[in-house]
């Protein structure tokens, strides 16, 4: 048993290696989750670190907590507009799509591995869902910049498809162990996961919004702590009542994020850091859990399963689920290619180990290799795929500086950074000629590395970042001023 001092030292080293991996990922284009897993494998018992770790229960616990906070962060950043515009295709992909992916992959795995159909379907259910942590990482860290509706569909799908994968995994394990019979009991398990998870998530979300707006905490640092407590409460309440904790915490994040609670900006900054820490620790912990020698033993047959999953099951699920919602053929091909696998499948693969199923270790190793192949082939080629399919959009440069207001009370005001693109209505105009409403103030213009103090005669140029302070009700009018011609 490692002493706590050693654990702290190892954790610090792994976090530093994770940050270095992220920088390397940005330089060479390798998906960051793949590098996190590789660093964990190198630190493991068969790597250079020689850290002995084979505690599947602890790894499952770490993965669950990390995914809880990552999904909450994803919910905080998912707008109501995204939900309204893409909930239909995302819902079908998260339900029927996962079911189709599970069935096709499971039947192929049963034939390739020469295992029973139920065991094959269990493996298919474990790898059937698109992983939220992988998708959020790729789409929100600048790796891929695609059309808004396409990105929103992927984010909402990945954030809401865990209940189906968890239901199928738990249900099939219970059938294989004889704890439940196929039929109505299995359907009841799924409905309980979905309904209880949704109700718990929405209740905690709206109660949390009211609390954050009326509690009047004296320390700014307590607001992110309060938000974390609400996330854990949502997950724990849903899971205790038999629902999906992952769906609940995602919905709680959506409700809180769209109601703009007190210290909203600070909560987002806190969770930006928390999500990165969770990703690093989760993927590296799962990497420590692997044994490269065992992975090599199953690599050959696993490549066949991964090929069926990537080139047959996911495209079939996408075309059958999303073809009815106005996506072009290129968009459907891209949706098919972004069936990224990550921490969720590896975490779910610990369930058969904890249940003591025969062949569970082979199933875990198979799932691990599938995730590595998905991250390597799909994750690495996503930017090229977006360009090839002509779905990428120009990436707006990050502002060289930001303006923030920290308040411990609810403030009826917004600070918005507008990037002036070529063709923007405001480009080439003086501030006094923009026709902005009276209760709108241009606080700062950033041009390159220069700050320009705004005056009526100040001329706005393409490439500027214009920081505007306004009342939220006026956002639509100001958006039109800074929109394209």
């Amino acid at each position: 048993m490692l002493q706590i001092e050693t654990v702290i030292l190892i954790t610090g080293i792994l976090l530093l290696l994770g940050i270095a991996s992220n920088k390397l990922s940005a330089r060479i284009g390798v998906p960051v989750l793949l590098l996190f897993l590789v660093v964990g494998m190198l630190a493991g018992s068969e790597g250079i670190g020689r850290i002995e770790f084979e505690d599947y229960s602890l790894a499952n616990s770490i993965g669950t907590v990390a995914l809880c906070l990552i999904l909450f962060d994803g919910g905080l950043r998912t707008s109501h507009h995204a939900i309204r515009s893409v909930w239909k295709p995302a819902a079908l992909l998260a339900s029927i799509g996962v079911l189709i992916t599970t069935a096709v992959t499971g039947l192929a795995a049963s034939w390739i591995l020469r295992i029973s159909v139920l065991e094959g379907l269990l493996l298919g259910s474990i790898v059937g869902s698109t992983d939220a942590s992988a998708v959020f990482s790729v789409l929100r860290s600048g790796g891929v910049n695609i059309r808004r509706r396409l990105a929103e569909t992927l984010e909402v799908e990945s954030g809401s498809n865990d209940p189906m994968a968890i239901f199928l995994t738990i249900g099939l394990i219970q059938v294989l162990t004889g704890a439940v019979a196929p039929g109505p009991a299995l359907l009841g398990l799924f409905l309980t996961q979905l309904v209880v998870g949704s109700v718990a998530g929405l209740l905690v979300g709206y109660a949390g919004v009211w609390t954050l707006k009326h509690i009047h905490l004296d320390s700014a640092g307590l607001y992110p702590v309060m938000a974390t407590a609400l996330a854990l409460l949502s997950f724990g309440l849903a899971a205790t009542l038999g629902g999906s904790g992952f769906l609940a915490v995602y919905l709680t994040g959506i409700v809180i994020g769209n109601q703009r609670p007190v210290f909203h900006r600070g909560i987002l900054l806190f969770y930006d850091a928390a999500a990165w820490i969770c990703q690093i620790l989760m993927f590296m912990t799962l990497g420590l859990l692997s044994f490269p020698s065992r992975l090599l033993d199953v690599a050959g047959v696993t490549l066949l399963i991964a090929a069926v999953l990537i080139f047959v099951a996911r495209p079939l699920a996408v075309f059958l689920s999303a073809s009815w919602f106005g996506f072009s053929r290129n968009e459907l091909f891209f949706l098919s290619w972004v069936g990224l696998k990550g921490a969720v499948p590896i975490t779910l693969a610990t369930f058969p180990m904890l249940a003591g199923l025969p062949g569970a270790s082979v199933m875990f190793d198979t799932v691990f290799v599938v995730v590595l192949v998905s991250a390597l082939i799909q994750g690495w080629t996503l930017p090229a795929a977006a360009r090839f399919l002509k779905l990428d959009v120009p990436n707006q440069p990050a502002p060289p500086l930001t303006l923030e207001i920290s308040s411990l009370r609810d403030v009826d005001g917004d600070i918005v950074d507008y990037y002036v693109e070529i063709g923007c209505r405001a480009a080439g105009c003086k501030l006094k000629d923009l026709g902005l409403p009276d209760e709108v103030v241009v606080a700062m213009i950033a041009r390159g590395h220069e700050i320009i103090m705004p005056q009526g005669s100040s001329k706005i140029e393409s490439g500027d970042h214009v920081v505007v302070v306004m009342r939220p009700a006026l956002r639509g009018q100001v958006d039109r001023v800074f929109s394209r011609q």
Side-chain angles (χ1 to χ4, degrees):
M1 185 69 180
L2 294 175
Q3 294 183 341
I4 186 61
E5 294 86 355
T6 307
V7 173
I8 293 173
L9 174 63
I10 292 172
T11 302
I13 292 173
L14 290 178
L15 285 173
L16 289 173
L17 288 173
I19 295 170
S21 299
N22 184 50
K23 294 294 292 183
L24 180 63
S25 168
R27 284 180 176 273
I28 65 177
V30 179
V32 67
L33 65 91
L34 176 63
L35 289 181
F36 291 164
L37 283 173
V38 170
V39 170
M41 294 168 67
L42 290 174
S45 57
E46 294 185 353
I48 58 177
R50 300 294 178 185
I51 299 174
E52 299 285 344
F53 184 75
E54 201 173 355
D55 191 334
Y56 290 93
S57 178
L58 177 59
N60 180 276
S61 300
I62 293 173
T64 300
V65 174
L67 282 170
C68 170
L69 297 181
I70 290 170
L71 280 168
F72 185 66
D73 174 64
L76 288 173
R77 301 171 196 275
T78 301
S79 67
H80 277 158
H81 174 271
I83 301 293
R84 287 194 300 269
S85 62
V86 304
W87 74 268
K88 291 180 181 178
L92 276 184
L93 284 169
S95 53
I96 303 300
V98 173
L99 198 59
I100 294 171
T101 305
T102 295
V104 174
T105 307
L107 293 174
S110 173
W111 181 75
I112 293 170
L113 297 176
R114 301 185 184 280
I115 56 180
S116 70
V117 173
L118 281 179
E119 289 174 319
L121 290 174
L122 174 59
L123 195 154
S125 69
I126 291 172
V127 298
S129 65
T130 302
D131 186 70
S133 58
V135 171
F136 291 159
S137 174
V138 169
L139 294 182
R140 293 180 177 177
S141 64
V144 182
N145 201 39
I146 55 175
R147 296 175 184 174
R148 180 176 177 180
R149 182 172 182 243
L150 204 57
E152 290 173 344
T153 301
L154 287 166
E155 289 184 2
V156 176
E157 178 213 354
S158 64
S160 58
N161 65 7
D162 291 323
M164 177 60 83
I166 293 170
F167 149 69
L168 291 172
T169 301
I170 295 175
L172 288 167
I173 288 175
Q174 292 187 350
V175 170
L176 286 167
T177 56
V180 67
L186 208 54
L187 180 60
L189 176 65
F190 170 67
L191 292 177
T192 301
Q193 286 265 314
L194 183 64
V195 174
V196 174
S198 300
V199 172
L202 293 174
L203 283 177
V204 174
Y206 283 108
V209 168
W210 186 90
T211 303
L212 285 167
K213 286 187 175 182
H214 294 88
I215 195 171
H216 299 320
L217 298 172
D218 294 327
S219 173
L222 288 176
Y223 283 97
V225 176
M226 183 73 181
T228 304
L230 292 168
L232 298 177
L233 174 64
S234 176
F235 184 95
L237 179 63
T240 301
L241 296 176
S244 170
F246 293 117
L247 177 61
V249 77
Y250 183 61
L251 290 176
T252 298
I254 290 174
V255 172
I256 292 176
N258 282 276
Q259 294 296 320
R260 297 185 58 83
V262 176
F263 208 62
H264 181 248
R265 172 74 176 170
I267 292 174
L268 290 179
L269 288 173
F270 173 85
Y271 268 93
D272 189 37
W276 275 112
I277 292 174
C278 288
Q279 284 194 70
I280 293 172
L281 290 180
M282 176 175 59
F283 283 113
M284 288 189 175
T285 299
L286 296 173
L288 285 172
L289 204 59
S290 68
F291 292 86
S293 60
R294 283 179 10 196
L295 300 182
L296 291 174
D297 293 338
V298 301
V301 291
T302 303
L303 288 176
L304 292 176
I305 296 172
V308 172
L309 174 63
I310 294 172
F311 297 108
V312 181
R314 172 69 179 181
L316 188 62
V318 168
F319 275 84
L320 290 177
S321 302
S323 297
W324 326 101
F325 301 102
F327 289 106
S328 68
R329 181 171 296 182
N330 281 1
E331 289 175 326
L332 291 173
F333 279 126
F334 189 78
L335 285 171
S336 302
W337 195 244
V338 194
L340 286 171
K341 312 304 170 190
V344 170
I346 301 177
T347 302
L348 290 180
T350 63
F351 287 13
M353 300 287 292
L354 298 175
L357 289 181
S361 61
V362 174
M363 192 172 294
F364 179 88
D365 296 336
T366 302
V367 171
F368 200 98
V369 175
V370 167
V371 171
L372 289 177
V373 172
S374 173
L376 186 61
I377 294 179
Q378 293 174 291
W380 205 337
T381 58
L382 278 183
R387 289 193 297 271
F388 177 76
L389 295 170
K390 296 180 173 57
L391 299 174
D392 58 327
V393 294
N395 193 14
Q396 293 185 357
L401 71 170
T402 59
L403 182 66
E404 298 177 18
I405 294 177
S406 295
S407 173
L408 300 188
R409 298 292 182 268
D410 195 13
V411 177
D412 183 28
D414 269 345
I415 299 176
V416 183
D417 168 41
Y418 289 99
Y419 176 68
V420 183
E421 300 177 339
I422 296 175
C424 173
R425 294 174 184 271
C429 297
K430 295 181 179 181
L431 283 183
K432 63 183 180 181
D433 298 329
L434 291 181
L436 294 171
D438 290 338
E439 294 183 316
V440 173
V441 175
V442 175
M444 182 172 60
I445 301 173
R447 182 172 298 155
H449 297 286
E450 181 185 2
I451 296 177
I452 298 174
M453 299 304 171
Q455 299 177 359
S457 59
S458 299
K459 189 175 182 180
I460 296 175
E461 299 178 2
S462 298
D464 285 353
H465 284 270
V466 182
V467 181
V468 182
V469 182
M470 71 187 87
R471 296 194 183 280
L474 300 174
R475 177 70 181 266
Q477 298 178 47
V478 182
D479 285 349
R480 285 192 289 275
V481 172
F482 288 95
S483 66
R484 297 178 65 86
Q485 293 284 358

